[in-house]
Amino acid sequence: MSKILMKGNEAIGAAAIQAGCRYFFGYPITPQSELPEYMARELPKVGGVYLQAESEVAAINMVYGAAGSGARVMTSSSSPGMSLKQEGISYIAGAELPCLIVNIMRGGPGLGSIQPSQTDYFQATRGGGNGDYRLVVYAPSDVQEMVDLIIEGFDVADQYRNPVMIAGDGMIGQMMEPVEFKTPVRRELAEKDWATTGTNGERERNIINSLYINPEDLEQHNIRLQAKYDLIKQNEVKVESYNIEDAELVIAAYGTTARIAKTAIAKLEEEGYKIGLIRPITLWPYPYDEFKKINPNCKAVLTAEMNTGQMIDDVKIAVEGKYPVHFYGRTGGMSPTPEEFIENIKKILGGEK
Amino acid sequence: MAVIFERTKGLTEVETHYCPGCTHGIIHRLVGEAMVELGILDNAIGVAPVGCSVFAYEYFNCDMHEAAHGRAPAVATGIKRVHPDNFVFTYQGDGDLASIGTAEIVHAAHRGEKISTIFVNNAIYGMTGGQMAPTTLIGQKTTTSPQGRTVEHSGMPIRMSELLATIDGAKFVERVAVNTPGNIRKAKRAIIEAFKVQLEGKGFGIVEVLSTCPTNWGMTAPESMKWLADNMIPYYPLGNFRRPEEAE
Ligand SMILES: Cc1ncc(C[n+]2csc(CCOP(=O)(O)OP(=O)(O)O)c2C)c(N)n1
Ligand code: SF4
């Protein structure tokens, strides 16, 4: 299939429909509103349902109902709305239901701004809701990658019966880029024989639930969940890295920030610098092992984010104190520039070459 | 020997955890019987709330979801939109529906969501140990209104049926009580009628059931029945507030 030019937010919708998603529950918020608008227009054409909920709280609980009923279902929002969804996300994780949640992140805290940011890293990877649960979190850095991850993400959600999140910064939602909708490689998925569809008098009752009132039972449930998360850690890590075996400095960055970093790296190479990049594509499970491949003579790791330093915690865990870890970030909806990257890197490496 | 009374197939064999004299049990039975009589049990998907009836998913003999506190109507919406041909109901207390879940119930009604809601109003938070609810009566003592509820501090108790009856999408709204055999029979008729409104695709239906909480009211079961009749019914009048014909 040939490439078509699409805005990020609309491409998300198109990818979801291609992945077989037929239900969307959401609430308007900038900078992701083109996605619900796209779904409102396109889902009815394929026999699906778009529903504008009264709030993000209601939307995510509608997702809980639809996912428990066996549907491929999604919701999307941006940072303040994602805060409201945390209750439902925790229930969905607890009841082990598959769904896709898109967060087109904007500046915070509070109402913050409507400009792009990556300030919800902690919320996405540490669990903004209550309890010991994990989401699979993808951080695409261009529209094509986002499309591919959405299509695969629905399968991952079904395979592990776990919510999957796309953490995109506002830039990626608003950006126009050429995308190709490749025929996806589909995973082998089990029947959803646990879903509530009415017993039809033919099977035992199905119950969708996250309550285990007996502490022994809840502990066992959590142990089962952890075993599942361990399996996800083994199988689902995605990372792109560049020149880390040879680098004198390695940048760790994701999403749009990683793209800007690449421009800086190319310019620095012209000046004779050897700069590597680790770009986590999954923020959870985190690609800790990738950092073990870094050249032992590397002088420093520079974490770069559109926030005041959140992923840096994971980078520090990953490098195990072997390299000094620096931070460069812009926040509040401001974006990093290649020039600022270059300036920071030269400062760390000690002047001009 | 002729069987003149047996357990309804609408409920499982599981023994309920309700306190002695609590009317949640009666209401469960009526819902179970209604589903059996309408022949919809095998097709039903129910949603349990957070509250004393949180374990309703173990009692209703059909597919069930357990929802977050107050969110049952949103969960039911998700289910119904995926399975429009299934019968979908929520069972909710007054803390669940009239406090934390007001947005969800109002908007399920407002959308005319084709679901049915059983709203159990016992004027108190039962599960958490007897705190004040929005439905707690003026002067009623609870653990968080130890001197009795006052208008000045907490406003007047909210009448959800009257409120919901102003919403166009709510096609059936009735308040019943389960304090006497006669009222129990009327309650069952209302539940069946509300369920039929969904089955006929007409829109949202709700039955508010005045119920007792002997444990947290600090009364015996017979005293509770009398308290309900003497105090709740005068403020929460029984009767129908909306039928499809009138709603048209
Ligand atoms: C988000 C959230 N807040 C508070 C609670 C605690 N809680 C559990 S049940 C309940 C009140 C239930 O009262 P009601 O809905 O009237 O039902 P009843 O127990 O009286 O049948 C509360 C506040 C909770 N589980 N979740
Ligand atoms: S606490 Fe009250 S509402 Fe709850 S089971 Fe006991 S009597 Fe019933």
Side-chain angles (χ1 to χ4, degrees):
Chain A
M1 228 176 111
S2 60
K3 294 198 172 191
I4 47 173
L5 197 63
M6 266 188 120
K7 195 171 190 174
N9 284 332
E10 298 202 334
I12 296 172
I17 290 174
Q18 204 196 9
C21 172
R22 291 293 176 271
Y23 299 90
F24 181 100
F25 302 95
Y27 188 83
I29 185 169
T30 310
Q32 60 83 60
S33 291
E34 296 86 356
L35 170 55
E37 285 162 5
Y38 180 89
M39 292 310 235
R41 197 163 69 232
E42 299 299 327
L43 269 176
K45 295 183 191 163
V46 292
V49 175
Y50 161 85
L51 190 66
Q52 184 165 315
E54 60 270 29
S55 67
E56 289 86 352
V57 175
I60 192 72
N61 281 286
M62 290 171 186
V63 169
Y64 175 86
S69 301
R72 269 211 164 170
V73 54
M74 73 178 291
T75 184
S76 72
S77 191
S78 178
S79 309
M82 205 49 66
S83 297
L84 283 187
K85 287 191 199 290
Q86 297 305 319
E87 170 193 74
I89 293 174
S90 171
Y91 274 71
I92 289 169
E96 294 190 81
L97 300 178
C99 68
L100 192 89
I101 301 157
V102 176
N103 182 9
I104 300 297
M105 294 181 274
R106 60 187 240 186
L111 201 47
S113 75
I114 57 169
Q115 303 303 327
S117 97
Q118 297 178 321
T119 41
D120 305 338
Y121 184 94
F122 283 155
Q123 188 194 57
T125 61
R126 266 57 179 166
N130 61 300
D132 242 337
Y133 73 90
R134 297 291 185 180
L135 308 178
V136 178
V137 184
Y138 294 113
S141 81
D142 58 48
V143 177
Q144 180 67 55
E145 186 175 54
M146 183 154 67
V147 161
D148 296 343
L149 288 172
I150 283 164
I151 293 171
E152 189 175 3
F154 275 105
D155 274 14
V156 170
D158 277 349
Q159 180 177 338
Y160 297 97
R161 290 186 58 182
N162 206 70
V164 167
M165 177 175 280
I166 303 286
D169 45 74
M171 207 107 74
I172 218 169
Q174 295 301 322
M175 182 153 71
M176 291 275 277
E177 278 192 328
V179 277
E180 186 184 350
F181 291 87
K182 301 165 212 160
T183 314
V185 188
R186 278 290 155 79
R187 299 189 180 202
E188 251 181 62
L189 299 171
E191 281 288 308
K192 294 182 176 178
D193 55 6
W194 44 264
T196 57
T197 54
T199 64
N200 222 357
E202 287 161 1
R203 57 158 170 77
E204 292 293 296
R205 302 175 320 116
N206 281 341
I207 295 168
I208 303 299
N209 179 35
S210 65
L211 173 65
Y212 294 81
I213 198 73
N214 191 332
E216 285 90 358
D217 295 344
L218 183 57
E219 185 174 48
Q220 284 311 311
H221 176 56
N222 270 291
I223 289 169
R224 273 196 312 277
L225 287 178
Q226 288 307 317
K228 176 172 88 174
Y229 300 149
D230 284 343
L231 203 65
I232 296 174
K233 283 185 205 166
Q234 276 170 37
N235 298 338
E236 304 298 339
V237 171
K238 281 187 199 285
V239 60
E240 178 197 351
S241 52
Y242 171 75
N243 200 25
I244 56 177
E245 284 88 355
D246 198 28
E248 48 191 325
L249 180 144
V250 170
I251 298 173
Y254 56 98
T256 300
T257 311
R259 275 176 86 152
I260 300 165
K262 283 181 184 173
T263 310
I265 290 171
K267 285 194 180 155
L268 283 165
E269 276 173 355
E270 286 167 15
E271 296 180 36
Y273 288 91
K274 290 182 194 159
I275 309 297
L277 174 71
I278 293 181
R279 178 173 76 86
I281 299 170
T282 46
L283 302 185
W284 196 91
Y286 196 77
Y288 293 111
D289 286 345
E290 197 65 17
F291 290 77
K292 298 202 173 102
K293 300 179 194 159
I294 296 177
N295 160 24
N297 299 320
C298 172
K299 297 200 185 78
V301 174
L302 172 63
T303 310
E305 304 178 69
M306 284 195 261
N307 59 39
T308 55
Q310 299 192 15
M311 182 181 75
I312 189 170
D313 289 6
D314 279 321
V315 173
K316 284 181 176 168
I317 292 170
V319 303
E320 295 173 333
K322 281 186 223 146
Y323 317 98
V325 176
H326 298 260
F327 180 74
Y328 158 54
R330 294 299 303 270
T331 187
M334 299 298 291
S335 307
T337 64
E339 292 68 34
E340 285 173 5
F341 258 110
I342 292 167
E343 202 182 299
N344 268 279
I345 288 167
K346 284 184 177 169
K347 215 182 283 167
I348 295 164
L349 292 178
E352 308 287 323
K353 282 231 156 149
Chain B
M1 218 166 53
V3 177
I4 55 162
F5 190 82
E6 62 183 343
R7 201 181 178 87
T8 168
K9 295 252 180 326
L11 297 178
T12 62
E13 297 291 322
V14 179
E15 198 175 310
T16 72
H17 68 287
Y18 297 113
C19 304
C22 174
T23 45
H24 263 303
I26 299 175
I27 304 165
H28 275 39
R29 190 184 165 94
L30 298 182
V31 172
E33 286 178 355
M35 287 196 285
V36 170
E37 285 171 31
L38 292 166
I40 53 176
L41 189 62
D42 290 349
N43 175 261
I45 306 172
V47 185
V50 176
C52 276
S53 45
V54 67
F55 292 119
Y57 62 82
E58 293 195 353
Y59 308 145
F60 290 117
N61 198 8
C62 57
D63 278 2
M64 292 291 296
H65 281 229
E66 203 297 304
H69 197 18
R71 316 296 177 223
V75 174
T77 297
I79 300 168
K80 187 71 179 185
R81 295 294 176 134
V82 173
H83 297 303
D85 296 331
N86 282 70
F87 172 75
V88 179
F89 72 99
T90 72
Y91 185 104
Q92 304 175 254
D94 48 328
D96 198 79
L97 183 142
S99 187
I100 196 167
T102 42
E104 285 75 13
I105 194 68
V106 164
H107 285 278
H110 149 245
R111 288 189 302 270
E113 214 60 62
K114 293 174 187 66
I115 60 170
S116 312
T117 291
I118 304 299
F119 166 39
V120 180
N121 179 359
N122 58 12
I124 205 158
Y125 284 14
M127 189 199 212
T128 39
Q131 296 82 10
M132 187 178 73
T135 46
T136 293
L137 295 178
I138 296 304
Q140 187 182 340
K141 286 186 179 161
T142 70
T143 58
T144 51
S145 57
Q147 310 300 325
R149 177 177 180 157
T150 63
V151 183
E152 177 61 24
H153 188 268
S154 313
M156 289 294 283
I158 191 165
R159 294 189 181 103
M160 288 306 292
S161 286
E162 286 83 342
L163 185 152
L164 291 168
T166 65
I167 298 173
D168 189 67
K171 300 296 185 196
F172 184 88
V173 182
E174 185 157 327
R175 186 183 288 120
V176 299
V178 287
N179 60 323
T180 64
N183 277 346
I184 291 172
R185 272 194 297 276
K186 282 187 205 153
K188 184 168 166 187
R189 275 203 297 275
I191 290 170
I192 289 180
E193 209 180 326
F195 287 4
K196 279 188 181 159
V197 165
Q198 176 181 168
L199 297 173
E200 289 160 10
K202 289 183 180 150
F204 176 77
I206 181 168
V207 179
E208 174 175 350
V209 189
L210 301 184
S211 185
T212 64
C213 179
T215 301
N216 290 302
W217 291 358
M219 295 175 200
T220 64
E223 281 166 0
S224 307
M225 296 299 196
K226 187 169 175 344
W227 193 86
L228 188 158
D230 293 347
N231 298 280
M232 288 185 78
I233 294 177
Y235 187 79
Y236 295 116
L238 306 184
N240 184 277
F241 296 92
R242 205 86 189 272
R243 280 211 161 78
E245 305 82 74
E246 299 158 28
E248 294 309 72

